[in-house]
Amino acid sequence: MERKTQQPNKVRLRRTRTDIREALLESALVEFGAKGFDGASTRAIAARIQAHQPQINYHFESKTALWTAAVDHLFGLLRETFRGVFPANPTEIGVPAIAAAYADGIRRLVRFVAAHPELNQIMVHEGTAPSDRLTWLTETHVKPFFNGIRQAWQLLRDAGVAAPIDSEILYYVLVGGASLPYVNAAEVRLLTGRDPKSPSWIDAHADGLVSILLPGLAAL
């Protein structure tokens, strides 16, 4: 009987440690998003989930290691959101299929940033000045996304489906246009009286962005 009660206790302990680490990552994203790397404190990150400073020290070597792990976690969620959406070789499929995939990708991005406004917040904090963090973030996570959306976009532009926006500028139009209502959610509520986190707002926002960026989609 003793052995049977000890084993479940060990399983629960491992699960609790995993849960705490995940919670610390989520808390870190909120703090780093709101205050930037320098303004965020590990004490506040721990307090947000009613954890203790030693628990951060147990899971992460330093504040920088926590920031890196949190950003990896965030972009891992983003990659999962887009998994299977964009074809690896867009030139091998027809324009209607590319356009449909792009529209789906835009809608998924809007839903993602509605749930994770810290994506835009962290990029704004880090993108204002050169740093080792910005170099790592750009090379590891941003550039693959940046490069991944450009080829299909150019094909859609050539076909007259996409708006005449330079493929290098598109990244900023897309990310900025998708993110701003959720980063500025308090302003949206004051200005419009509506909740930008509501499903009706998110769907209308996504549809509007698709209409702006892919004006030729309806004709396909």
Side-chain angles (χ1 to χ4, degrees):
M1 290 293 293
E2 245 177 80
R3 282 196 297 272
K4 287 183 181 179
T5 56
Q6 286 176 355
Q7 186 63 26
N9 287 338
K10 291 180 181 179
V11 172
R12 280 198 295 272
L13 180 60
R14 286 198 296 271
R15 184 180 296 125
T16 299
R17 287 174 177 170
T18 300
D19 290 345
I20 289 173
R21 188 179 190 279
E22 291 292 313
L24 286 170
L25 291 175
E26 295 290 342
S27 177
L29 287 174
V30 174
E31 287 291 318
F32 287 131
K35 301 172 185 176
F37 180 82
D38 293 328
S41 73
T42 53
R43 186 182 300 276
I45 290 168
R48 178 179 284 276
I49 61 163
Q50 298 181 329
H52 305 288
Q53 185 78 27
Q55 290 173 302
I56 289 184
N57 299 334
Y58 174 83
H59 290 284
F60 307 99
E61 295 177 359
S62 64
K63 183 180 177 181
T64 298
L66 173 57
W67 179 89
T68 302
V71 172
D72 276 337
H73 174 66
L74 179 61
F75 277 88
L77 295 175
L78 182 62
R79 282 191 296 274
E80 282 301 312
T81 296
F82 283 102
R83 187 177 299 279
V85 175
F86 293 109
N89 298 300
T91 55
E92 296 179 0
I93 66 175
V95 167
I98 299 173
Y102 227 96
D104 183 27
I106 292 170
R107 291 187 172 93
R108 291 187 187 211
L109 178 62
V110 170
R111 288 194 293 269
F112 183 85
V113 296
H116 300 281
E118 59 271 14
L119 175 66
N120 182 272
Q121 292 171 322
I122 288 172
M123 290 306 306
V124 169
H125 281 299
E126 296 299 330
T128 55
S131 68
D132 290 341
R133 290 192 309 275
L134 177 61
T135 298
W136 172 83
L137 176 57
T138 302
E139 293 298 324
T140 305
H141 293 300
V142 179
K143 189 172 285 186
F145 179 76
F146 176 78
N147 290 333
I149 65 175
R150 293 175 66 191
Q151 185 182 19
W153 179 257
Q154 191 58 52
L155 290 170
L156 294 175
R157 276 194 66 187
D158 293 343
V161 176
I165 301 172
D166 185 284
S167 62
E168 293 181 349
I169 296 172
L170 167 71
Y171 167 79
Y172 296 97
V173 173
L174 178 58
V175 174
S179 301
L180 191 60
Y182 312 106
V183 174
N184 291 5
E187 178 197 65
V188 170
R189 293 185 184 101
L190 285 172
L191 187 63
T192 68
R194 297 176 62 185
D195 180 10
K197 295 299 186 75
S198 70
S200 61
W201 174 285
I202 293 169
D203 288 343
H205 178 197
D207 290 343
L209 202 56
V210 169
S211 297
I212 291 168
L213 294 177
L214 301 173
L217 181 64
L220 293 178

